[in-house]
């Protein structure tokens, strides 16, 4: 912490080697360490500054996924950090407690940089969330769960896309926090899992083999107004969910990803990974468990726009060839929004393959899915939403600025191969 109260973080992007499998050293990239990055954490209202140095041999960038901040600090493809250079964005945290994350966003190279290991969590806290009776001892009953799928090609991490995998690279096993076959010993009755799908293309449907219920307490941008009880939660690349699950003394329970209901047609189920299932993380409960409070009936005040106040609508048609027929162009601004206004964006996918949709700078409300009210898992603050083939979604987004007519924010498909191929556009706030 600096004299004026600014919280400072240091990140160094570097190449290294990681021993995922005993005795096998795999070339990887990481922030500070050799794979993934440290969990950063800050309070609402706090000033933060991150000093990033690029120790790689190529240019990259670091984007704060889910963070509301000035466009110049966003870390998108315009805020390049050259090899050997540094970048020190700073901003004031002005949004509710949430599980956000950070990852590179270099133009056309995002998939490769994330897949090699450049990703980390950025947790935000606020006064209200600090007082809630929710599990909140980090690493004890509040566990980060960064899920990635990988395939090993000898000692290397494979990155090739198989024929017909038009979603991008799909691995044949998963890791949590960079660990294969992970397990975690727990000593509390209620365990909060902060799930991040940090995979580049794969969508998961998380749940437990005995179909036990859990409480969804948070989505991408923070806590729900009240917990939603369910037995599966689907996350496409970039999405987060905070769930609270009850464990019984002495049991071992596997967090699993199941074949997915709303994934698309039989072709996508098969070649896009919708039929796959993985054992993701084993929780091993101690013989005696500490009693846990909660979850409470009420979690957070709503801060999302309703959509009724919208001054403008826009349409986004997702296709392999781009959005609304246009592929990403770094020199073209696709939209201008007015600071302080709410818009309703309609996202449509008739492309025959799954896509999702991520918007920088804002947390939005999902207003409608195919003309109906959204399911409970889509009722919280979102910055990324899964849009399977045949779906139309309406989102309400409020842009609070600051204005910067010269620096765009991005919106794009977060299946990173699709993003790199140009399913992305840019908007400015004026
Ligand atoms: Cu998580 Cu534009 O990205
Ligand atoms: Cu896509």
């Amino acid at each position: 912490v600096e004299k004026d109260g600014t919280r400072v973080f240091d990140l160094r992007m570097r190449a290294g080697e990681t021993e995922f499998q005993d005795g096998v050293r795999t070339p990887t990239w990481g922030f500070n360490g050799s794979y993934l990055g440290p969990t950063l954490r800050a309070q609402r209202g706090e000033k933060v500054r991150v000093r990033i140095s690029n120790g790689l041999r190529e240019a990259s960038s670091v984007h704060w996924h889910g963070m509301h901040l000035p466009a110049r600090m966003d870390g998108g493809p315009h805020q390049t950090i050259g090899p050997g250079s540094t970048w020190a964005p700073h901003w004031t945290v002005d949004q509710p407690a949430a599980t956000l994350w950070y990852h590179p966003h270099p133009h056309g190279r995002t998939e490769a940089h994330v897949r090699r290991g450049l990703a980390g969590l950025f947790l935000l806290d606020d006064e209200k969330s600090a007082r809630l009776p929710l599990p909140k001892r980090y690493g004890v009953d509040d566990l980060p769960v960064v899920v990635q799928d990988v395939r090993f090609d000898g000692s290397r991490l494979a990155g090739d896309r198989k024929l017909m995998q038009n979603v991008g690279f799909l691995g044949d096993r998963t890791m949590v926090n960079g660990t294969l076959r992970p397990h975690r010993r727990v000593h509390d009755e209620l365990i909060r899992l902060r799930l991040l799908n940090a995979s580049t293309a794969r969508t998961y449907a998380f749940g437990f083999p005995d179909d036990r219920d859990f409480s969804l307490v948070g989505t991408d941008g923070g806590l729900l107004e009240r917990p939603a009880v369910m037995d599966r939660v689907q996350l496409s690349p970039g999405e987060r969910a905070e769930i609270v699950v009850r464990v019984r003394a002495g049991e071992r329970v596997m967090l699993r990803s199941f074949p997915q209901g709303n994934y698309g047609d039989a072709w996508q189920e098969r070649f896009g990974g919708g039929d796959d299932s993985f054992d993701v993380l084993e929780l091993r409960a101690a013989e005696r468990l500490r009693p846990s409070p909660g979850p409470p009936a009420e979690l957070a005040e709503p801060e999302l726009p309703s959509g009724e106040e919208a001054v403008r609508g826009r349409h986004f048609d997702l296709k392999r060839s781009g959005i609304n027929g246009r592929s990403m162009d770094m020199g073209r601004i696709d939209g201008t929004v007015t600071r302080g206004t709410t818009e309703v964006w309609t996202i449509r996918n008739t492309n025959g393959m799954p896509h999702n949709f991520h918007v920088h700078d804002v947390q939005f409300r999902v207003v409608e899915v195919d003309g109906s009210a959204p399911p409970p898992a889509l009722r919280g603050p979102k910055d990324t939403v899964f849009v399977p083939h045949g779906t139309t979604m309406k989102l309400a987004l409020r842009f609070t600025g600051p204005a910067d007519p010269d620096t765009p924010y991005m919106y794009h498909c977060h299946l990173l191969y699709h993003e790199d191929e140009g399913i992305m556009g840019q908007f400015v706030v004026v």
Side-chain angles (χ1 to χ4, degrees), residues 26-53:
T26 299
T28 53
W29 289 0
F31 290 101
N32 302 354
S34 67
Y35 193 76
L36 297 180
T39 294
L40 310 184
R41 194 155 194 166
Q43 283 275 340
R44 186 170 201 170
E46 205 163 35
K47 284 188 194 159
V48 298
R49 177 187 301 276
V50 193
R51 299 187 297 219
I52 304 158
S53 65

mmCIF file of all heavy atoms in Angstrom, residues 26-53:
data_model
loop_
_atom_site.group_PDB
_atom_site.id
_atom_site.type_symbol
_atom_site.label_atom_id
_atom_site.label_comp_id
_atom_site.label_asym_id
_atom_site.label_seq_id
_atom_site.Cartn_x
_atom_site.Cartn_y
_atom_site.Cartn_z
ATOM 1 N N THR A 26 6.891 -29.374 -18.157
ATOM 2 C CA THR A 26 6.132 -28.855 -19.294
ATOM 3 C C THR A 26 6.395 -27.361 -19.441
ATOM 4 O O THR A 26 6.272 -26.622 -18.464
ATOM 5 C CB THR A 26 4.624 -29.103 -19.034
ATOM 6 O OG1 THR A 26 4.408 -30.511 -18.929
ATOM 7 C CG2 THR A 26 3.759 -28.538 -20.145
ATOM 8 N N PRO A 27 6.765 -26.897 -20.627
ATOM 9 C CA PRO A 27 6.933 -25.451 -20.825
ATOM 10 C C PRO A 27 5.594 -24.721 -20.656
ATOM 11 O O PRO A 27 4.603 -25.135 -21.257
ATOM 12 C CB PRO A 27 7.432 -25.333 -22.272
ATOM 13 C CG PRO A 27 7.779 -26.713 -22.707
ATOM 14 C CD PRO A 27 7.007 -27.659 -21.852
ATOM 15 N N THR A 28 5.578 -23.703 -19.830
ATOM 16 C CA THR A 28 4.334 -22.965 -19.554
ATOM 17 C C THR A 28 4.659 -21.483 -19.375
ATOM 18 O O THR A 28 5.826 -21.096 -19.299
ATOM 19 C CB THR A 28 3.687 -23.446 -18.239
ATOM 20 O OG1 THR A 28 4.669 -23.381 -17.198
ATOM 21 C CG2 THR A 28 3.144 -24.853 -18.347
ATOM 22 N N TRP A 29 3.600 -20.687 -19.284
ATOM 23 C CA TRP A 29 3.730 -19.275 -18.959
ATOM 24 C C TRP A 29 2.940 -18.993 -17.684
ATOM 25 O O TRP A 29 1.961 -19.674 -17.400
ATOM 26 C CB TRP A 29 3.159 -18.396 -20.087
ATOM 27 C CG TRP A 29 3.994 -18.392 -21.337
ATOM 28 C CD1 TRP A 29 5.171 -19.062 -21.556
ATOM 29 C CD2 TRP A 29 3.709 -17.675 -22.550
ATOM 30 N NE1 TRP A 29 5.628 -18.804 -22.831
ATOM 31 C CE2 TRP A 29 4.755 -17.953 -23.453
ATOM 32 C CE3 TRP A 29 2.678 -16.827 -22.937
ATOM 33 C CZ2 TRP A 29 4.792 -17.409 -24.737
ATOM 34 C CZ3 TRP A 29 2.718 -16.286 -24.216
ATOM 35 C CH2 TRP A 29 3.773 -16.571 -25.111
ATOM 36 N N GLY A 30 3.374 -17.971 -16.969
ATOM 37 C CA GLY A 30 2.638 -17.609 -15.761
ATOM 38 C C GLY A 30 2.896 -16.173 -15.369
ATOM 39 O O GLY A 30 3.743 -15.491 -15.957
ATOM 40 N N PHE A 31 2.117 -15.707 -14.390
ATOM 41 C CA PHE A 31 2.358 -14.399 -13.770
ATOM 42 C C PHE A 31 3.132 -14.685 -12.478
ATOM 43 O O PHE A 31 2.643 -15.420 -11.617
ATOM 44 C CB PHE A 31 1.043 -13.708 -13.408
ATOM 45 C CG PHE A 31 0.231 -13.240 -14.586
ATOM 46 C CD1 PHE A 31 -0.857 -13.973 -15.035
ATOM 47 C CD2 PHE A 31 0.533 -12.035 -15.228
ATOM 48 C CE1 PHE A 31 -1.638 -13.521 -16.098
ATOM 49 C CE2 PHE A 31 -0.244 -11.573 -16.289
ATOM 50 C CZ PHE A 31 -1.326 -12.314 -16.727
ATOM 51 N N ASN A 32 4.292 -14.138 -12.346
ATOM 52 C CA ASN A 32 5.163 -14.324 -11.170
ATOM 53 C C ASN A 32 5.701 -15.759 -11.090
ATOM 54 O O ASN A 32 6.903 -15.956 -11.089
ATOM 55 C CB ASN A 32 4.486 -13.883 -9.879
ATOM 56 C CG ASN A 32 4.060 -12.411 -9.936
ATOM 57 O OD1 ASN A 32 4.371 -11.709 -10.900
ATOM 58 N ND2 ASN A 32 3.357 -11.941 -8.937
ATOM 59 N N GLY A 33 4.844 -16.753 -10.997
ATOM 60 C CA GLY A 33 5.283 -18.150 -11.018
ATOM 61 C C GLY A 33 5.285 -18.688 -12.435
ATOM 62 O O GLY A 33 5.212 -17.933 -13.405
ATOM 63 N N SER A 34 5.358 -20.016 -12.547
ATOM 64 C CA SER A 34 5.486 -20.599 -13.893
ATOM 65 C C SER A 34 4.130 -20.900 -14.539
ATOM 66 O O SER A 34 4.058 -21.147 -15.736
ATOM 67 C CB SER A 34 6.330 -21.868 -13.840
ATOM 68 O OG SER A 34 5.652 -22.870 -13.113
ATOM 69 N N TYR A 35 3.044 -20.911 -13.755
ATOM 70 C CA TYR A 35 1.729 -21.232 -14.333
ATOM 71 C C TYR A 35 0.649 -20.497 -13.551
ATOM 72 O O TYR A 35 0.673 -20.453 -12.330
ATOM 73 C CB TYR A 35 1.467 -22.748 -14.296
ATOM 74 C CG TYR A 35 0.293 -23.170 -15.146
ATOM 75 C CD1 TYR A 35 0.414 -23.245 -16.532
ATOM 76 C CD2 TYR A 35 -0.938 -23.451 -14.577
ATOM 77 C CE1 TYR A 35 -0.678 -23.593 -17.319
ATOM 78 C CE2 TYR A 35 -2.027 -23.805 -15.357
ATOM 79 C CZ TYR A 35 -1.890 -23.876 -16.733
ATOM 80 O OH TYR A 35 -2.966 -24.220 -17.527
ATOM 81 N N LEU A 36 -0.312 -19.919 -14.223
ATOM 82 C CA LEU A 36 -1.368 -19.078 -13.645
ATOM 83 C C LEU A 36 -0.758 -17.881 -12.913
ATOM 84 O O LEU A 36 0.415 -17.547 -13.128
ATOM 85 C CB LEU A 36 -2.312 -19.891 -12.734
ATOM 86 C CG LEU A 36 -3.108 -20.994 -13.453
ATOM 87 C CD1 LEU A 36 -4.007 -21.744 -12.471
ATOM 88 C CD2 LEU A 36 -3.974 -20.425 -14.586
ATOM 89 N N GLY A 37 -1.548 -17.214 -12.082
ATOM 90 C CA GLY A 37 -1.059 -16.019 -11.414
ATOM 91 C C GLY A 37 -1.628 -15.924 -10.019
ATOM 92 O O GLY A 37 -2.568 -16.649 -9.674
ATOM 93 N N PRO A 38 -1.103 -15.016 -9.201
ATOM 94 C CA PRO A 38 -1.601 -14.867 -7.837
ATOM 95 C C PRO A 38 -3.029 -14.322 -7.840
ATOM 96 O O PRO A 38 -3.437 -13.643 -8.782
ATOM 97 C CB PRO A 38 -0.644 -13.839 -7.223
ATOM 98 C CG PRO A 38 -0.108 -13.071 -8.391
ATOM 99 C CD PRO A 38 -0.051 -14.036 -9.539
ATOM 100 N N THR A 39 -3.782 -14.651 -6.787
ATOM 101 C CA THR A 39 -5.107 -14.056 -6.612
ATOM 102 C C THR A 39 -4.921 -12.638 -6.065
ATOM 103 O O THR A 39 -4.316 -12.461 -5.016
ATOM 104 C CB THR A 39 -5.943 -14.902 -5.633
ATOM 105 O OG1 THR A 39 -6.180 -16.172 -6.240
ATOM 106 C CG2 THR A 39 -7.287 -14.239 -5.330
ATOM 107 N N LEU A 40 -5.418 -11.666 -6.804
ATOM 108 C CA LEU A 40 -5.366 -10.276 -6.348
ATOM 109 C C LEU A 40 -6.682 -10.001 -5.609
ATOM 110 O O LEU A 40 -7.706 -10.619 -5.901
ATOM 111 C CB LEU A 40 -5.208 -9.321 -7.537
ATOM 112 C CG LEU A 40 -4.081 -9.648 -8.530
ATOM 113 C CD1 LEU A 40 -3.987 -8.572 -9.603
ATOM 114 C CD2 LEU A 40 -2.742 -9.824 -7.826
ATOM 115 N N ARG A 41 -6.638 -9.081 -4.667
ATOM 116 C CA ARG A 41 -7.843 -8.832 -3.877
ATOM 117 C C ARG A 41 -7.896 -7.376 -3.463
ATOM 118 O O ARG A 41 -6.882 -6.839 -3.002
ATOM 119 C CB ARG A 41 -7.811 -9.740 -2.648
ATOM 120 C CG ARG A 41 -9.117 -9.815 -1.941
ATOM 121 C CD ARG A 41 -9.252 -11.100 -1.151
ATOM 122 N NE ARG A 41 -10.653 -11.239 -0.794
ATOM 123 C CZ ARG A 41 -11.210 -12.350 -0.333
ATOM 124 N NH1 ARG A 41 -10.483 -13.429 -0.173
ATOM 125 N NH2 ARG A 41 -12.487 -12.378 -0.043
ATOM 126 N N ALA A 42 -9.037 -6.729 -3.619
ATOM 127 C CA ALA A 42 -9.172 -5.317 -3.242
ATOM 128 C C ALA A 42 -10.593 -5.058 -2.767
ATOM 129 O O ALA A 42 -11.504 -5.863 -2.981
ATOM 130 C CB ALA A 42 -8.831 -4.415 -4.421
ATOM 131 N N GLN A 43 -10.762 -3.912 -2.114
ATOM 132 C CA GLN A 43 -12.036 -3.485 -1.525
ATOM 133 C C GLN A 43 -12.729 -2.479 -2.416
ATOM 134 O O GLN A 43 -12.051 -1.656 -3.036
ATOM 135 C CB GLN A 43 -11.737 -2.721 -0.227
ATOM 136 C CG GLN A 43 -11.384 -3.545 0.961
ATOM 137 C CD GLN A 43 -12.627 -4.019 1.690
ATOM 138 O OE1 GLN A 43 -13.700 -3.428 1.525
ATOM 139 N NE2 GLN A 43 -12.492 -5.076 2.443
ATOM 140 N N ARG A 44 -14.037 -2.482 -2.375
ATOM 141 C CA ARG A 44 -14.776 -1.428 -3.059
ATOM 142 C C ARG A 44 -14.328 -0.078 -2.499
ATOM 143 O O ARG A 44 -14.173 0.087 -1.289
ATOM 144 C CB ARG A 44 -16.269 -1.600 -2.814
ATOM 145 C CG ARG A 44 -17.099 -0.616 -3.607
ATOM 146 C CD ARG A 44 -18.578 -0.940 -3.565
ATOM 147 N NE ARG A 44 -19.227 -0.308 -4.703
ATOM 148 C CZ ARG A 44 -20.468 -0.534 -5.085
ATOM 149 N NH1 ARG A 44 -21.220 -1.398 -4.441
ATOM 150 N NH2 ARG A 44 -20.976 0.064 -6.142
ATOM 151 N N GLY A 45 -14.088 0.896 -3.373
ATOM 152 C CA GLY A 45 -13.645 2.219 -2.938
ATOM 153 C C GLY A 45 -12.135 2.377 -2.915
ATOM 154 O O GLY A 45 -11.630 3.500 -2.865
ATOM 155 N N GLU A 46 -11.427 1.270 -2.979
ATOM 156 C CA GLU A 46 -9.970 1.339 -2.893
ATOM 157 C C GLU A 46 -9.360 1.719 -4.252
ATOM 158 O O GLU A 46 -9.873 1.343 -5.296
ATOM 159 C CB GLU A 46 -9.461 -0.050 -2.486
ATOM 160 C CG GLU A 46 -8.143 -0.076 -1.804
ATOM 161 C CD GLU A 46 -7.905 -1.415 -1.080
ATOM 162 O OE1 GLU A 46 -8.341 -2.471 -1.583
ATOM 163 O OE2 GLU A 46 -7.293 -1.387 -0.017
ATOM 164 N N LYS A 47 -8.239 2.463 -4.188
ATOM 165 C CA LYS A 47 -7.466 2.728 -5.406
ATOM 166 C C LYS A 47 -6.487 1.590 -5.595
ATOM 167 O O LYS A 47 -5.824 1.179 -4.634
ATOM 168 C CB LYS A 47 -6.650 4.008 -5.239
ATOM 169 C CG LYS A 47 -7.425 5.276 -5.358
ATOM 170 C CD LYS A 47 -6.415 6.415 -5.371
ATOM 171 C CE LYS A 47 -7.111 7.730 -5.147
ATOM 172 N NZ LYS A 47 -6.157 8.734 -4.658
ATOM 173 N N VAL A 48 -6.394 1.087 -6.819
ATOM 174 C CA VAL A 48 -5.430 0.017 -7.082
ATOM 175 C C VAL A 48 -4.522 0.415 -8.247
ATOM 176 O O VAL A 48 -4.911 1.205 -9.123
ATOM 177 C CB VAL A 48 -6.110 -1.337 -7.404
ATOM 178 C CG1 VAL A 48 -6.945 -1.826 -6.240
ATOM 179 C CG2 VAL A 48 -6.964 -1.243 -8.653
ATOM 180 N N ARG A 49 -3.317 -0.103 -8.209
ATOM 181 C CA ARG A 49 -2.371 0.073 -9.300
ATOM 182 C C ARG A 49 -1.682 -1.277 -9.496
ATOM 183 O O ARG A 49 -1.292 -1.922 -8.514
ATOM 184 C CB ARG A 49 -1.326 1.125 -8.925
ATOM 185 C CG ARG A 49 -0.235 1.351 -9.974
ATOM 186 C CD ARG A 49 0.854 2.268 -9.454
ATOM 187 N NE ARG A 49 0.328 3.564 -9.058
ATOM 188 C CZ ARG A 49 0.125 4.583 -9.911
ATOM 189 N NH1 ARG A 49 0.438 4.460 -11.182
ATOM 190 N NH2 ARG A 49 -0.375 5.717 -9.477
ATOM 191 N N VAL A 50 -1.599 -1.729 -10.741
ATOM 192 C CA VAL A 50 -0.906 -2.991 -11.000
ATOM 193 C C VAL A 50 0.296 -2.691 -11.887
ATOM 194 O O VAL A 50 0.141 -2.093 -12.953
ATOM 195 C CB VAL A 50 -1.821 -4.034 -11.696
ATOM 196 C CG1 VAL A 50 -1.161 -5.408 -11.650
ATOM 197 C CG2 VAL A 50 -3.192 -4.097 -11.040
ATOM 198 N N ARG A 51 1.481 -3.058 -11.415
ATOM 199 C CA ARG A 51 2.689 -2.853 -12.226
ATOM 200 C C ARG A 51 3.007 -4.173 -12.902
ATOM 201 O O ARG A 51 3.352 -5.155 -12.228
ATOM 202 C CB ARG A 51 3.843 -2.422 -11.321
ATOM 203 C CG ARG A 51 3.529 -1.091 -10.604
ATOM 204 C CD ARG A 51 4.711 -0.575 -9.848
ATOM 205 N NE ARG A 51 5.093 -1.494 -8.778
ATOM 206 C CZ ARG A 51 5.513 -1.078 -7.567
ATOM 207 N NH1 ARG A 51 5.632 0.221 -7.302
ATOM 208 N NH2 ARG A 51 5.851 -1.953 -6.655
ATOM 209 N N ILE A 52 2.853 -4.167 -14.221
ATOM 210 C CA ILE A 52 3.026 -5.404 -14.981
ATOM 211 C C ILE A 52 4.286 -5.301 -15.808
ATOM 212 O O ILE A 52 4.490 -4.317 -16.520
ATOM 213 C CB ILE A 52 1.835 -5.632 -15.929
ATOM 214 C CG1 ILE A 52 0.530 -5.640 -15.140
ATOM 215 C CG2 ILE A 52 1.995 -6.923 -16.716
ATOM 216 C CD1 ILE A 52 -0.669 -5.343 -15.982
ATOM 217 N N SER A 53 5.130 -6.294 -15.739
ATOM 218 C CA SER A 53 6.258 -6.315 -16.663
ATOM 219 C C SER A 53 6.141 -7.556 -17.536
ATOM 220 O O SER A 53 5.704 -8.622 -17.089
ATOM 221 C CB SER A 53 7.587 -6.268 -15.915
ATOM 222 O OG SER A 53 7.747 -7.428 -15.152
#
